[in-house]
Amino acid sequence: MTSTTIGILQRGRRLRRGWRRAMIGGLLALLAVCFLLALMLGQSVTPPADVLRVLLGGDVAGASFTVGQLRLPRAVISILAGMCFGMGGAAFQVMLRNPLASPDIIGISAGASAAAVFAIVFLSLDGASVSGIAIAAGLGVALLIYALSFKGGVAGSRLILVGIGISAMIHSFIAYALARAPAWDLQEAMRWLTGSVNGARLDQAGLLLLVLLVLGGLLLARSRDLEMLRMGDDVASALGVRVGMTRMTVILGAVGLIAVATATTGPIAFTAFLSGPIAARVVGSHGSVLVPAALVGALLVLTGDYAGQFLLPGRYPVGVVTGALGAPFLIFLIIRANRTGGTL
Amino acid sequence: MTVDHQLSVTELTAGYGGTPILQGLNLDLLPGQITAIVGANACGKSTLLRVMSRLLRPDAGQVTLDGGSIHRMPTRALARVLGLLPQSPVAPEGITVADLVSRGRHPHQGLVSRWRRTDDEAVAAALDATRMSDLADRSVDELSGGQRQRAWIAMALAQDTDLLMLDEPTTFLDVSHQIELLDLLCDLNARRGTTIVMVLHDLNLAARYADHLVALRHGQLLVQGPPEDVLVERTVHQVFGLTSRIVTDPVSGRPMMLPIGRHRTRAESP
């Protein structure tokens, strides 16, 4: 009897694991194709052979500038920032068991964004110091929301409502700071309001890659405990998970990812919010959603930026496109929560 | 069969947000026995279970397992000895029964160690014991209430602990599923010698299935002992403020409580 059950278990696990691997492989392949297309396509088409030569450091007349200077930095920053947003957002959603608990809804991205604007406009800083201030502000906002919604434990919906309120306050500060900016620049303003990879530079990639490796690695190392939090704090704790410590680690890691990406590209609207749920639908609920969410985030920003540049009438920053995708999903979630009587 | 662990509660005061619910409570759990905690609503039954399973920190006093405070033990090591099924737990969306039950093995796995054969055996045994093997690949969302509760019990069984605590495990189950579940816990107690502690609403089921009853009133231990000593008319009145008659259950030979209300008593009918 037990041996047949073991057989059922092993077969089921093989199936689900195989499906998950195939889907992650598929997402990776799709990302690679999109990356190549983003380098090839634009106002002119560059053949793949030329793209490859430019990537390998060759000098190709006409292509070196468009591919090497214009498209490559955009594509690379899109992918890295998208990964940070996707993974950070999914970590929050899993931790609080609610897709609405994403950093871009509860004001953490807005906090990082506001700090970056403040540092640039009023303190005339740039580079890593802006990132540092954005991380500090993101963490500050996260802890503030946590403290304000703490009442003998943290309830997801209370935290979300507090976060939405804080987010609205911070957005008005961003608008104020931009209005006070000495050189009012629409592109710059859009970047800090909805996010944009305009003006992406390759030298920004190093910092993004570093936080992805360090903080992304930290999150992945805790992913099994994080996954257990989906069972509820009580069950997780009864199964030997140190809930408080896991939660603090996840907040640190996820806020760091979100804040550094925000300091680079601005809060690319709804990327953190959308990636996790899309990834969960693609790979199923077997295993951690962090890696697939990072891939989906990269895909969203990369294709969203391309669509904003070339597929729509006029040119829009990527945040406008992802924002247009995210808003209907937000409404869908709220309607569903109403209908099933579930939590927010 | 298994090592008997001794769980003791001494001078326990605990509650939420500074309001004490339990006050100066002392209790020694009987190893290898089934204990049921009974009492009126808001008397501290669930709070007691939460403190005993270290989900809640006591404000004063302590809970010890084999002499050591459970709130100072490494949580993973404790989770190999003490399991807990909270009241109406929520499964992650889309998770399969096999996956849910497998999570019961979490405390047995190291930070890096992979899934082993013994883990599979424990999960399979838990699925078989709860008759959930055929549903292993189904999504928990699709199950009926009774099946879902069995899946959670299977998860707790896969955890393979010597002590198992359950907070109102029969809530939302119809009567046949209640009996099925309590029978299952009796099996577990008989076969593995698992110490079982549960909060039960139904006094008669508690008297029938438990070896030991613990009656709480206003956050304090009123009386404890075998069902014959605890389920008496005086105690029922003290705990619930209810007049009752105790008879002998013709099925089990244990005491059985018949409530006496203002209506539908024989004296009232013509």
Side-chain angles (χ1 to χ4, degrees), chain B residues 29 33-39 45-46 48-49 52 84-85 153 164-170 178 181-183 185-186 195-202 205-214:
Chain B
L29 290 181
Q33 306 257 300
I34 299 180
T35 300
I37 303 172
V38 298
K45 300 183 300 259
S46 293
L48 176 58
L49 207 69
M52 288 198 300
L84 167 84
L85 192 58
I153 299 277
L164 177 59
M165 301 192 182
L166 306 101
D167 193 354
E168 297 198 18
T170 55
Q178 293 183 17
L181 186 126
L182 292 168
D183 275 341
L185 295 175
C186 275
T195 307
I196 291 174
V197 185
M198 54 188 166
V199 170
L200 276 185
H201 247 321
D202 190 316
L205 285 180
R208 182 182 283 194
Y209 280 94
D211 304 309
H212 194 80
L213 289 186
V214 173

